[in-house]
């Protein structure tokens, strides 16, 4: 039996020959011909011309031939919809066949023929098959509902198939249950607001029972569905966990990973004090390790997931470092992932072993792997302080090997080590300098130049070294040029006498001979700084740099939490939310971990502490403090300190605790002076500022609700246009969350129920974070107020105007559409305060053509009032300056999608006749400027 | 879910293509949509148009990619491709959704197993010869991209390539109840004249040792493979010297452990065939099941404690000047002298610029294989508690390559007739309530084989 002959290519006229054979009387010949047709189809030839002839072969009692014809139909029906109708009769007949295999085959195939006209004929057979006596037919019909829904969702709902499908969840056959769950989950994904799956303790119990009995694939469907359930309390969570843990011993890795997902998610709800919590943690490690003995592709999926799990709960695998050691013949993708996890697990306890391994890897063949290993050594140094010395000496050993890319990579990481531990390892500079000639990659050259400039005073021939780079200045990449410019300026400030010529040379190269605007700008700035005020120049250029943080590549916590909900799926492999790679709205419902129910948690876990919440109206209330602060900030030119000294901060926290909830009323009094700030010596300058804002952060956490400016509600959807439903609303932002406050009024005569809401894609990915919940039916003339929480992780599409939002609201009567403009300031995030030097650098960095100027007329505010007003809407004043009687406020804000906007606000307080404010905005995405200006105007004028 | 499944040969030609979802641009759909406007391969233009042809995208970006494959999952224009390779054949699953990635790979492996069970080796020729069968299988085991029952035992009852058999109504319902049933892996009514079962404990012992003889990592991954030829629907219970079980029993009957005197082993983790009742294992740690007929893998396990390392490799590498290396390797066998290890092979890597090698070994045969950059030393048999040695002189060509030789580890292969983890089968009890044969009538065979996994010593 060799079928390969069908693949042999044929000459012209093939189609005619096939046609003749298909119409032959001999059964065998017919079958041969259909096989040939399928073979041609597979290799990509267009055999659609044979459609009628192939369909003619459908009426047969030969199952093999029937299946081949069906295969052909599935491929070509869409291009020949009219002819596809010819096949319908056979399908309908087959659905009545006494043989369950044939009934199932017919219903399965019909669902795959995506022609509207055919689907019409499908309802009746499908309805019958869903209630067929044979489980094989029922399980096939369950999937068919999902197919049909994909073609025509409305029809499936109208025909009541969803209810029948729901009934199948209670079917006696586990495989029917599993397929019904899979189909419902898929349909539910495209209706995020509908409560289709309607999971409750009873249905969960049914699923858990089926879990023990169905096939490995069915177990995956059920576990993935369970993961979407939100248990009502920690006891329910625990009992589900107990019934899911046996799955960790399944041979199928996907079953294991899906079980891990359920456990990781529900664990959030368990109190850490519980014995069971510890047991569960211990149970998770062995199966995760076992996944590493699976085939390499699965190992890769497992490792990407372990990477997430290690970030979320490092305690699970902290003793399992050894299993992540790289094997010589692991595929490269497994090696690279293992390396990542090794660094994450590195700690003081195991660092010696890790380093020995990394050193071994640095001598391997694959360039990417070796580079990553070298970089990993550097990261270990930064992460585990005790090991820094050993890491540095390992890196030096590697530099001695003189392998070009190893040396370059080592130099790049040594630069970071210098930044983390200043004045500790500079003795190695001499060794680094020996390798200057071998550096040919921009990143390594730039790193080396940075080192030379930073430590110019300790390198005798720093000027010679930098001069040697200067010779080929124009051939260097921008990165290197910029670094070289800065390094030479640093050198000049440190050794002015010997290097005057050099600095002249580099400044003229940068400003006169270069086409690069960034380089020219930086050159001019240095030039002017140096020529006007060398002391200031020194303070700017040689300012102390903030320390670099330990782990730069951690996944952002909210994204991490979301990805934990997607364990095992593609999202967890890409480390991206599904919206980043899935087209359209399907399957991109934002998921989040359940909140912890145990109250003991909130106090100790850092992520629940209020971070960077905006201070409320306090500056208004205590103007004296505000003035003082402003002055102090003005005086202080030193580097900003990121946090107050520990001692003072703890005093303040204590004070706030004492004040407790009574703070609200206290703030009301005009003479309120915060005792903790008064206690801090005034000469501390900047720390007071940050201490103060810390205090405010806490107060906002304690009780005062602070938030952005809220516009009064406006009518968005008049009752005339929406069959009696009137919607008015506004947007608010409070303590980091955006919501849409809606007022629904029923002006019709009938009761309204079944409300749901959906947003179209929009510029900032706004999407409802929860379904629209109107608890009771809305009777005539009744009004309800609803606050709908919004998230910004929906799909993104640029709208015109930018802040346009198209909304669809559904109720039992109809679906209504309206669009509204949201004020941009609801998107200003709480951590929008840029540090001062960043601000300066960014302001310079953004090209001038991105600057936009606006006037805000008739706004008689002084700088403090403006600043505090703006701050409550998350526009932060970075610095204040007084120039010739004008107050200049330098402000920053950040949008939810990470776009920074820098602003300069000019106020003339001394001049009552001139109440106009001037606003300049700089942003890398200039199209937002107009809307930011509008936000400024609304905030300041209200 | 899975949107489509393609099988390619090494040249990137499509052998099998089955599209389950509309969002995957199949070649047929693409052709009919753009037939008038495009050249022979519409997908080759990688502009990113919506109708870009998934079949071609994978060929161009992965199979024909210049660089070695860096990931088994590739995302091209918002379409994700999962692939596995079996000899020269690429299997690719395609999707546009956020599918369960682990499931897709498990399915691809399963697909390979099923095909292998039907027609043997997965090769281009076999796939072409069986393409009708493969389409039939794909139709059955993947519905709208959702994997369905893929147990070969069940599939073989109704996907036969024999055309339609005249099945009686009972036969038909038996098939469907097996495919969908709780015991999908076994059919009713199996009869043997002689009830017999074979248990193979197959272990692969993995080691990474430092040149100084320090164990950097060692673990055993083991499998218990069962071949059962049992009548009816037999209930089986499998017992081994699992530390947890032994200790639990020890509490009840203290004398039993002392009487048997057997050592128990600590199992780090184990996974089971889907026939094993996992909830029972979780609560009582007992392994009970109704086995599939014929051969299957009952369990996999992993141990890391008290492993018997059958061989120790002691390397000595000395660089004599720039053009010569002296290598001496001693291997010691570390098990009962009465046992014999077989198929021993030691692979000593040599630098790329090796020009000549002279080897002297006490036992077995050693050869320098230039194409593999290694000296391969083979010994047919070796008893326990013995020692053997090889020494070699490696001549090197002088090079001005700055890069040092990476010194890959010395690896070893062998086979020993015991389980390096120390695992022992204590019992396998068979109960068949309906038929009248008892546990005593079943003939049982147990065999232990320990093989080298990745058994490496750095030098």
């Amino acid at each position: 039996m060799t079928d390969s002959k069908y693949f042999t290519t044929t000459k012209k006229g093939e189609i005619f020959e096939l046609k003749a054979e298909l119409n032959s009387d001999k059964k065998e010949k017919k079958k041969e011909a259909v096989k040939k047709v399928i073979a041609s189809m597979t290799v990509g030839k267009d055999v659609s011309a044979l459609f009628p002839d192939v369909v003619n072969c459908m009426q047969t009692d030969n199952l093999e031939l029937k299946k081949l014809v069906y295969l052909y139909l599935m491929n070509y029906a869409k291009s020949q919809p009219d002819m596809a109708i010819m096949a319908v009769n056979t399908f309908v007949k087959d659905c009545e066949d006494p043989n369950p295999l044939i009934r199932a085959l017919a219903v399965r195939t019909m669902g795959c023929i995506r022609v509207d006209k055919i689907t019409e004929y499908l309802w009746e057979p499908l309805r019958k098959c869903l209630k067929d006596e044979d489980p094989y037919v029922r399980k096939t019909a369950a999937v068919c509902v999902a197919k049909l829904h994909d073609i025509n969702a409305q029809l499936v709902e109208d025909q009541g198939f969803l209810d029948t499908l729901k009934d199948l969840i209670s079917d006696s056959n586990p495989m029917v249950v599993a397929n019904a769950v899979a189909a419902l989950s898929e349909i539910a994904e495209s209706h995020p607001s509908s409560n289709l799956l309607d999971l409750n303790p009873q249905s969960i119990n049914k699923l858990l029972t089926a879990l023990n009995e169905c096939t490995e694939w069915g177990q995956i469907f059920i576990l993935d569905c369970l993961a979407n359930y939100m248990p009502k309390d920690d006891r329910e969570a625990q009992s589900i966990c107990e019934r899911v843990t046996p799955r960790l011993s399944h041979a199928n890795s996907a079953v294991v990973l899906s079980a891990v997902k359920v456990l990781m998610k529900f664990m959030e709800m368990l109190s850490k004090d519980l014995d069971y919590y510890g047991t569960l943690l211990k149970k998770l490690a062995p199966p995760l390790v076992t996944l590493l003995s699976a085939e390499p592709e699965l190992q890769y999926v497992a490792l990407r997931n372990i990477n997430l799990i290690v970030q979320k709960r490092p305690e699970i695998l902290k003793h399992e470092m050894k299993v992540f050691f790289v094997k010589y013949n692991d595929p490269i993708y497994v090696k690279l992932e293992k390396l990542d996890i090794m660094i994450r697990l590195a700690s003081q306890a195991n660092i010696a072993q890790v380093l020995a391994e990394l050193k071994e890897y640095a001598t391997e063949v694959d360039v990417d792997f070796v580079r990553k290993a070298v970089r990993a050594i550097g990261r270990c140094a930064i992460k585990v302080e005790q090991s820094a010395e050993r890491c540095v000496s390992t890196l030096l050993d590697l530099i001695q090997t003189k392998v070009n890319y190893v040396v370059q990579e080592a130099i790049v990481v040594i630069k970071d080590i210098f930044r983390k531990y200043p004045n500790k390892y500079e003795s190695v500079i001499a060794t680094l300098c020996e390798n200057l000639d071998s550096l040919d990659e921009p990143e390594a050259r730039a790193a080396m130049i940075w080192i030379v400039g930073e430590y110019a005073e300790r390198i005798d021939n720093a000027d010679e070294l930098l001069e040697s780079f200067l010779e080929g200045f124009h051939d260097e990449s921008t990165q290197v040029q910029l670094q070289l410019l800065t390094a030479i300026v640093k050198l000049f400030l440190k050794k002015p006498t010997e290097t005057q010529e050099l600095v002249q040379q580099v400044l003229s190269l940068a400003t006169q001979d270069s086409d690069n605007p960034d380089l020219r700008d930086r050159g001019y700035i240095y030039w002017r700084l140096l020529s006007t005020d060398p002391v200031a120049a020194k303070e700017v250029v040689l300012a102390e740099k903030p320390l670099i943080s330990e782990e730069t590549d951690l996944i952002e916590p909210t994204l991490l939490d979301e990805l934990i909900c997607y364990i095992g799926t593609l999202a967890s492999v890409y480390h991206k939310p599904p919206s980043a790679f899935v087209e359209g709205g399907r399957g991109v419902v934002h998921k989040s971990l359940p909140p912890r129910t145990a109250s003991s948690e909130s106090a100790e876990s850092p992520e629940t502490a209020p971070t960077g919440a905006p201070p409320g109206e306090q500056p208004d209330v205590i103007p004296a403090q505000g003035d003082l602060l402003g002055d102090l900030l003005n005086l202080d030119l030193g580097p900003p300190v990121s946090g107050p000294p520990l001692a003072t901060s703890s005093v303040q926290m204590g004070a706030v605790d004492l004040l407790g909830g009574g703070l609200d009323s206290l703030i009301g009094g005009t003479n309120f002076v915060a005792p903790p700030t008064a206690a801090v010596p005034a000469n501390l300058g900047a720390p007071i500022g940050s201490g103060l804002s810390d205090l405010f952060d806490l107060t906002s956490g304690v009780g005062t609700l602070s938030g952005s400016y809220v516009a009064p509600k406006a009518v968005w959807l008049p009752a005339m246009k929406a069959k009696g439903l009137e919607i008015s609303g506004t947007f608010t932002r409070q303590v980091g969350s955006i919501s849409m406050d809606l007022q629904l009024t029923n002006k019709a005569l009938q009761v309204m129920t079944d409300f749901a809401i959906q947003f179209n894609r929009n510029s900032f990915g706004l999407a409802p974070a929860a379904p629209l919940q109107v608890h009771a039916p809305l009777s005539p003339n009744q009004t309800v107020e609803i606050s709908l929480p919004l998230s910004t992780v929906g799909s993104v599409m640029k709208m015109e105007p930018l802040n346009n939002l198209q909304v669809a609201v559904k109720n039992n009567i109809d679906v209504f559409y309206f669009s509204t403009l949201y004020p941009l300031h609801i998107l200003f995030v709480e951590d929008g305060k840029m540090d001062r030097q960043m601000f300066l650098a960014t302001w310079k960095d953004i090209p001038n053509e991105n600057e936009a100027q606006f006037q805000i007329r008739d706004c008689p505010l002084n700088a403090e009032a403006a600043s505090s007003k703006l701050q409550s809407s998350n526009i932060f004043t970075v610095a204040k300056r007084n120039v010739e009687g004008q107050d200049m406020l330098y402000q920053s804000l950040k949008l939810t999608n990470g776009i920074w906007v820098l602003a300069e606000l000019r106020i003339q307080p001394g001049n009552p006749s001139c109440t106009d404010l001037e606003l300049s905005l700089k942003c890398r995405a200039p199209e937002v400027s107009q809307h930011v200006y509008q936000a400024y105007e609304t905030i300041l004028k209200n | 879910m899975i949107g489509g499944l393609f099988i390619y040969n090494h040249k990137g030609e499509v052998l099998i293509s089955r599209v389950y979802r509309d969002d995957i641009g199949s070649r047929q759909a693409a052709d009919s949509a753009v037939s008038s406007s495009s050249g022979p391969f519409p997908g080759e233009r990688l502009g990113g148009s919506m109708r870009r042809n998934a079949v071609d995208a994978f060929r161009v970006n992965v199979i024909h990619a210049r660089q070695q494959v860096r990931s088994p999952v590739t995302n091209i224009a918002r379409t994700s491709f999962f692939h596995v390779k079996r000899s020269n054949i690429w299997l690719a699953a395609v999707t546009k959704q956020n599918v369960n990635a682990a499931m897709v790979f498990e399915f691809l492996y399963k697909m390979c197993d099923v095909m292998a069970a039907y027609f043997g080796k997965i090769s281009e020729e076999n796939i072409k010869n069986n393409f009708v069968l493969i389409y039939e299988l794909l139709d059955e085991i993947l519905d709208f991209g959702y994997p369905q029952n893929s147990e070969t035992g069940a599939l073989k009852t109704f996907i036969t390539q024999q055309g339609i058999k005249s099945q009686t109504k009972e036969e038909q319902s038996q098939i469907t109840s097996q495919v969908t049933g709780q015991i999908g892996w076994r059919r009713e009514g199996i009869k043997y004249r002689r009830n017999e079962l074979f248990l193979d404990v197959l272990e692969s012992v993995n080691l990474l040792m430092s040149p100084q003889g320090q164990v950097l990592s060692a673990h055993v991954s083991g499998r218990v493979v069962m071949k059962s030829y049992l009548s009816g629907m037999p209930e089986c219970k499998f017992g081994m010297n699992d530390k947890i079980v032994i200790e639990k029993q020890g509490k009840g009957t203290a004398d039993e452990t002392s009487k048997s005197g057997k050592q128990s082993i600590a199992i780090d983790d184990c996974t089971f065939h889907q026939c094993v009742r996992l909830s029972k294992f979780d609560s009582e740690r007992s392994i009970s099941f109704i086995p599939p007929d014929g051969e299957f893998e009952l369990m996999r396990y992993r141990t890391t404690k008290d492993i018997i390392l059958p061989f120790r490799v002691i390397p000595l590498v000395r660089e004599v000047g720039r053009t010569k290396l002296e290598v001496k390797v001693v291997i010691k066998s570390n098990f009962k002298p009465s046992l014999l290890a077989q198929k021993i092979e030691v692979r000593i890597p040599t630098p790329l610029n090796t020009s000549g090698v002279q080897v002297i070994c006490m036992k077995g045969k050693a050869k320098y294989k230039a194409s593999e950059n290694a000296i391969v030393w083979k010994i047919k048999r070796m008893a326990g508690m013995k020692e053997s040695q090889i020494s070699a002189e490696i001549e090197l060509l002088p090079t001005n390559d700055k890069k040092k030789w990476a010194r890959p580890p010395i690896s070893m292969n062998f086979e020993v007739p015991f389980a390096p983890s120390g695992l022992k089968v204590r019992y396998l009890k068979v109960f068949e309530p309906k038929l009248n044969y008892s546990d005593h009538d079943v003939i049982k065979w147990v065999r232990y084989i320990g093989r080298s996994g990745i058994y490496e010593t750095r030098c």
Side-chain angles (χ1 to χ4, degrees), chain A residues 1-4 6-7 35 38-39 41-44 61 63-64 67-68 71 74-76 78 98-101 105 108 114 134-136 139-140 143 146-147 150 173-175 179 182 186 212-213 215-217 220-221 224 245-247 249-254 257-258 283 286-287 289-290 295 297-298 300-301 322 327-329 332-333 357 360 363 366 368 401-403 405 566 568-571 573-574 578-583 586, chain B residues 1 14-18 21-22 27-28 31-32 50 67-75 77-78 80 82-85 95-103 105-107 109-110 128-132 135-136 139-140 143-144 146-151 158-159 161 163-164 167 169 172-173 175-176 179-182 208 215-217 219 268-274 278-279 281-282 300 302 402-404 406 408-409 454 456 458:
Chain A
M1 188 185 77
T2 55
D3 287 346
S4 57
Y6 304 116
F7 280 91
K35 280 191 184 181
I38 302 288
M41 189 175 90
T42 299
V43 296
D61 53 356
L63 195 57
E64 192 190 357
K67 283 182 177 174
L68 286 174
L71 191 64
M74 285 186 260
N75 266 298
Y76 286 113
K78 222 176 175 188
N99 187 340
L101 292 171
L105 177 66
R108 186 165 68 213
R114 306 175 52 93
D134 195 294
Y136 183 76
K139 71 109 184 163
T140 311
V143 176
K147 292 178 189 169
D150 196 38
N173 184 294
M175 193 158 178
N179 276 3
E186 177 165 340
N212 286 325
E213 294 167 351
T215 64
E216 44 195 331
W217 314 115
I220 300 169
F221 306 154
D224 285 351
T245 33
R247 298 298 122 200
S249 311
H250 202 286
N252 187 314
S253 308
L257 267 178
S258 291
K283 277 194 174 170
V289 173
T290 297
E295 287 84 348
E297 291 87 0
L298 270 174
Y300 174 74
V301 173
K322 275 189 178 179
K327 292 184 190 135
Y328 188 72
N329 33 10
I332 182 68
Y333 49 81
E357 281 294 307
E360 198 71 40
T363 59
D366 189 286
D368 285 349
T401 62
K402 306 276 179 199
V403 179
Y405 53 85
Y566 287 115
T569 69
L570 264 180
V573 174
Y574 295 146
S579 53
F581 59 91
V582 174
E583 255 165 34
R586 280 181 75 111
Chain B
M1 281 306 115
V14 189
L15 303 178
I16 298 286
S17 106
R18 174 72 210 260
R21 301 246 169 175
D22 246 14
R27 176 148 17 195
Q28 282 79 27
D31 273 356
S32 45
M50 283 283 287
Q67 218 194 356
Q68 185 197 355
V69 178
R70 300 308 263 195
S71 160
V73 185
T74 324
N75 191 312
R78 289 195 162 226
S80 297
F82 299 76
H83 73 263
V84 299
K85 224 182 144 188
T95 183
K96 284 210 160 187
Q97 289 169 298
N98 181 31
V99 298
N100 188 321
M103 185 186 78
F105 280 123
E106 283 283 4
F107 176 78
Y109 302 142
K110 195 74 186 194
K128 281 185 171 173
N129 279 339
N130 293 285
F131 83 98
V132 175
Y135 277 123
E136 203 175 335
D139 196 44
E140 185 57 45
D143 191 4
F144 201 40
Y146 290 102
Q148 304 292 307
N149 194 335
S150 47
E151 285 299 310
F158 68 105
I159 296 185
Q161 286 288 291
I164 193 159
Q167 291 151 325
K169 201 148 189 208
Q172 287 163 6
S173 73
I175 290 170
T176 56
V179 175
T180 59
Q182 288 181 31
L208 184 62
V215 177
L216 294 173
S217 73
H219 75 272
D268 287 30
D269 188 36
C270 45
T271 59
F272 296 98
H273 185 265
Q274 57 170 323
L278 293 178
S279 38
F281 178 74
D282 196 56
R300 280 180 186 227
R302 184 166 52 82
K402 268 192 198 157
K403 209 171 123 182
K404 256 177 63 182
I454 295 164
E456 294 177 339
R458 289 182 178 156

Side-chain angles (χ1 to χ4, degrees), chain A residues 195-265:
Chain A
N195 198 13
L196 194 56
L197 263 164
D198 188 30
L199 295 173
N200 52 46
Q202 288 80 38
S203 56
I204 289 292
N205 197 29
K206 277 178 202 152
L207 293 185
L208 286 168
T209 311
L211 186 61
N212 286 325
E213 294 167 351
C214 62
T215 64
E216 44 195 331
W217 314 115
Q219 296 185 19
I220 300 169
F221 306 154
I222 292 179
L223 287 169
D224 285 351
C225 171
L226 272 181
N228 291 327
Y229 178 62
M230 197 72 82
K232 61 178 189 304
D233 54 25
D234 49 344
R235 282 173 67 192
E236 194 189 1
Q238 177 173 347
S239 83
I240 295 177
C241 287
E242 279 165 359
R243 293 179 69 178
V244 166
T245 33
R247 298 298 122 200
L248 294 174
S249 311
H250 202 286
N252 187 314
S253 308
V255 175
V256 176
L257 267 178
S258 291
V260 168
K261 165 164 61 190
V262 174
L263 297 175
M264 283 292 287
K265 216 179 151 185

